[in-house]
Amino acid sequence: MPKHDDPTTELPGTGTGPTAADLGGTGTGPIAAELGGAGSGATAAELRATGTGPTSAAPAPPPGLAHAGPAQTGQAHAGPVHTGQAPAGPAAHAGPAAPTAPAGPAAPAAPAGPGYRAVFRVREFRVVFVAHLFSLLGVVVSELALTVLVYDLTRSPLLSSLTFALGFLPYLVGGTLLAGLTDRLPPRRILVVCDLLCAGCVALMVVPATPVALLLALRCAIAVVSPVFNGTRMATLADILGEGDLFVLGRSLLRIVSQSALLTGFAVGGVLLTVVPPRGALAVTAGTFLVSALLLRLGTVRRPARGSGAAGSGLSGTWAVLRNRRVRALMLMFWVPPLFAVVPEALAAPYADEIGVSTAALGLLMCALPVGTITGELLAGSFLSAAVRSRIVLPLAVTGVLPYLLYAPEPGVPLAAAALFLAGATGAYTLGLDAWFVAAVPEEQRGRAMTLMTAGMMTVQGIGMAGAGVAAEFAPVHVVVAGTGVLGTVCLLAAAAELRAAGAAGDRKARRG
């Protein structure tokens, strides 16, 4: 199941490794969660067809959601979106006129062939993708290096684990109080400034005189700006790729990269720490954030702000977004799955100890979920049309944690890993859900809405991990995981029912109008 949306979130897999599982934290950073994605934190996560050809079908809305937003054509938007200019529409005139890069030859409106290849034909997306790789490297290595540094300075497992835990709480603050910035300021400026702030925070961590308290405070500062970065980047993808199938596949690629970081990121960081001390590794990550900022500044087009701030700021602006029942229901479908999906990962180390297996077996358990997520996304994005991906959203979402029932008989590693792989593969539902979400949110609120969505995905993962730890104090780990399969499925069915009801209400309102 996808968890982080992009970034870190764009979010979907937690930024944990065999050691981090004991700490109960996830990797977060400027591009976590997208992940979206979530996404995710970049390594947490952040959660997710070839349907880009001229005859691609539009993503079919779920029953009752025919009026969820702008019509989806399943084609790339020809015109300004692919020429390096801001798309036409209200958002393009929401701020003062700004110079844009000269238009080059228009990219093919609907290239034939596999969808992922079509996304890479868009030059500006390639820049964002490479910047994502550099920033993601910075996030993963800095988290590992900072954890080691804090432990070396204090010899305290509690303070060391706090470096992971502090990646969750500030997301809620940044996602609610700062979300309005994403629509009130030019998006490129936000992305570059966020990367520079992260580079500055990491640079201060490198200074030998920096005390542990300030190290933790700097960790919090990075987590505060992360949802703003993630939400802005997600909204910018819609400007670059259009609101159709190319956007969905672009989001999917960023999530896949974030998931892959789970499999390689900590290994790379571990090797680096054998060559340089923790502060040296942090210095390297400061450089990766600077490279990301430079790429975004020079390789992306300057677009005006989407809105003027009339919708309000802070909590009032957040409520302006959540007042839309369809948007609330869609956010719920992004938030509920990761709340339960993180449980087996959070309890992987205790479960390995419960069944008496080796560290290598623990590593297999930790890898199974992200490998399943990557596989599901790749298959759905490469072989399913946009219409089919839309039809499987609810069936995959509501059954996403059912494989956890295989934990009931306290299985060995092969069966437990299979359960995690299957659960991860159901994360393919996020491709269709992304299409619904970008269609339902008004363009002038898109940045704020996507920031709220990614921040919520990170926050619920922290809640899910904490709840799993508490439950495991009173019941065997395999019982807790199996119980998560039952409780999670009930909650997902309720969320799906609300989404259908919101769509039906929207239909009735449209007919009356």
Side-chain angles (χ1 to χ4, degrees), residues 145-483:
L146 183 60
T147 301
V148 174
L149 177 61
V150 170
Y151 185 75
D152 286 346
L153 293 174
T154 65
R155 293 295 165 184
S156 168
L158 174 61
L159 289 177
S160 181
S161 65
L162 216 63
T163 62
F164 279 99
L166 288 175
F168 284 111
L169 301 180
Y171 253 79
L172 186 60
V173 176
T176 53
L177 299 183
L178 303 180
L181 295 177
T182 58
D183 292 320
R184 292 159 54 196
L185 297 174
R188 186 178 69 180
R189 183 189 305 172
I190 295 174
L191 295 174
V192 172
V193 168
C194 285
D195 261 342
L196 292 177
L197 285 174
C198 290
C201 289
V202 174
L204 288 175
M205 295 176 185
V206 176
V207 178
T210 305
V212 172
L214 183 54
L215 289 175
L216 298 179
L218 292 169
R219 175 74 174 92
C220 285
I222 292 175
V224 166
V225 303
S226 293
V228 178
F229 183 99
N230 296 338
T232 303
R233 188 189 58 186
M234 198 189 315
T236 301
L237 278 184
D239 296 335
I240 295 172
L241 300 174
E243 299 175 3
D245 211 38
L246 286 183
F247 166 78
V248 172
L249 294 173
R251 283 265 295 144
S252 174
L253 277 171
L254 296 186
R255 281 195 301 265
I256 288 170
V257 170
S258 296
Q259 283 294 325
S260 300
L262 294 175
L263 308 178
T264 60
F266 282 103
V268 171
V271 171
L272 183 61
L273 288 172
T274 65
V275 180
V276 298
R279 292 190 193 275
L282 287 170
V284 171
T285 65
T288 63
F289 285 126
L290 291 175
V291 171
S292 174
L294 185 65
L295 287 170
L296 293 171
R297 175 62 182 82
L298 300 179
T300 60
V301 171
R302 184 186 188 279
R303 294 177 172 85
R306 290 181 181 81
S308 61
S313 60
L315 295 178
S316 62
T318 298
W319 175 242
V321 173
L322 296 178
R323 193 178 297 125
N324 185 320
R325 185 181 180 185
R326 288 194 301 274
V327 173
R328 289 201 310 270
L330 287 166
M331 284 193 179
L332 202 61
M333 287 304 300
F334 276 109
W335 293 343
V336 176
L339 174 66
F340 298 100
V342 297
V343 171
E345 284 188 311
L347 300 178
Y351 185 68
D353 181 64
E354 181 179 292
I355 62 177
V357 297
S358 66
T359 303
L362 171 60
L364 178 61
L365 291 176
M366 294 299 299
C367 290
L369 192 69
V371 168
T373 303
I374 293 170
T375 302
E377 289 230 15
L378 283 174
L379 292 176
S382 299
F383 299 109
L384 301 183
S385 69
V388 172
R389 292 199 303 265
S390 185
R391 286 197 293 270
I392 65 176
V393 169
L394 294 184
L396 285 183
V398 299
T399 58
V401 294
L402 275 180
Y404 292 173
L405 294 177
L406 295 175
Y407 270 76
E410 195 176 20
V413 172
L415 186 57
L420 294 173
F421 179 87
L422 289 174
T426 64
Y429 80 88
T430 52
L431 279 80
L433 194 61
D434 279 338
W436 295 355
F437 191 73
V438 76
V441 177
E443 187 175 358
E444 66 274 10
Q445 295 179 332
R446 187 177 292 157
R448 184 192 294 267
M450 291 181 174
T451 299
L452 289 172
M453 186 263 283
T454 55
M457 290 179 70
M458 285 298 297
T459 302
V460 298
Q461 287 177 88
I463 294 172
M465 286 187 166
V470 171
E473 290 291 325
F474 300 97
V477 173
H478 70 282
V479 174
V480 173
V481 177

